[in-house]
Amino acid sequence: MGHAMEIFSESVRFSSLDLTTKNAWAQLVRRRFYGQNLVKRCMGEWRLTEGQARGLVYAQVTQNTIDAILKRNPIEGFALGLEILAIVTGIKLEEYVEHKGRVAARARTEWEATERRLADMRAAIGERRDFSRRGAE
């Protein structure tokens, strides 16, 4: 089993890198609706048919059902999508954002070094021109 992760302050998820997306949806449902009547709870929460809800609970969900859940309420759908990605990949959203920040910081450092080199080159070219002009006088 993968490592613990937290996407939202009130929910903790666990991940396994060999977990399929369909299994991640089933895991999310079991954690969200812990207890009995998972099919009925999915039907009520996302306005699914019984067949769609069963597919969700038993890791046989179709892409059409996933799309319907995600698009029903775009803000909640986005959050659910993040939860599914977190379960499947074992990566926290915070880890991703921190990684992108480190990449941007490295790129900024490299760009600043390039700018310094170019400024040095401009200065050297300017000095050569000044020297050439002085020699011609």
Side-chain angles (χ1 to χ4, degrees):
M1 195 96 186
H3 62 283
M5 70 173 7
E6 186 173 317
I7 295 294
F8 306 102
S9 58
E10 71 275 2
S11 64
V12 175
R13 305 285 176 242
F14 296 94
S15 172
S16 173
L17 294 178
D18 61 349
L19 191 68
T20 67
T21 303
K22 288 181 179 187
N23 287 99
W25 275 98
Q27 247 185 47
L28 180 135
V29 165
R30 284 183 173 79
R31 290 183 182 145
R32 181 175 271 219
F33 305 123
Y34 180 78
Q36 302 173 11
N37 300 318
L38 291 177
V39 171
K40 287 187 183 197
R41 292 179 88 177
C42 288
M43 289 171 67
E45 177 77 12
W46 292 304
R47 294 184 298 223
L48 301 176
T49 66
E50 184 175 350
Q52 290 172 316
R54 283 190 181 286
L56 196 57
V57 170
Y58 298 108
Q60 298 299 316
V61 65
T62 66
Q63 187 63 51
N64 286 340
T65 299
I66 290 170
D67 290 344
I69 292 168
L70 295 177
K71 292 176 182 177
R72 185 154 289 124
N73 176 335
I75 298 295
E76 183 180 334
F78 183 82
L80 286 169
L82 289 175
E83 286 187 73
I84 294 301
L85 285 171
I87 292 169
V88 172
T89 65
I91 302 291
K92 294 180 194 179
L93 179 57
E94 294 84 4
E95 290 173 325
Y96 172 76
V97 171
E98 287 172 14
H99 167 76
K100 294 302 278 183
R102 287 190 303 273
V103 168
R106 268 194 310 273
R108 182 180 58 243
T109 300
E110 290 171 9
W111 180 254
E112 289 169 353
T114 300
E115 283 184 320
R116 283 190 301 274
R117 284 191 301 274
L118 288 171
D120 291 345
M121 289 170 65
R122 283 186 201 107
I125 291 169
E127 289 171 8
R128 285 187 199 139
R129 281 187 188 156
D130 288 344
F131 182 74
S132 295
R133 286 186 190 140
R134 277 184 253 149
E137 293 176 3

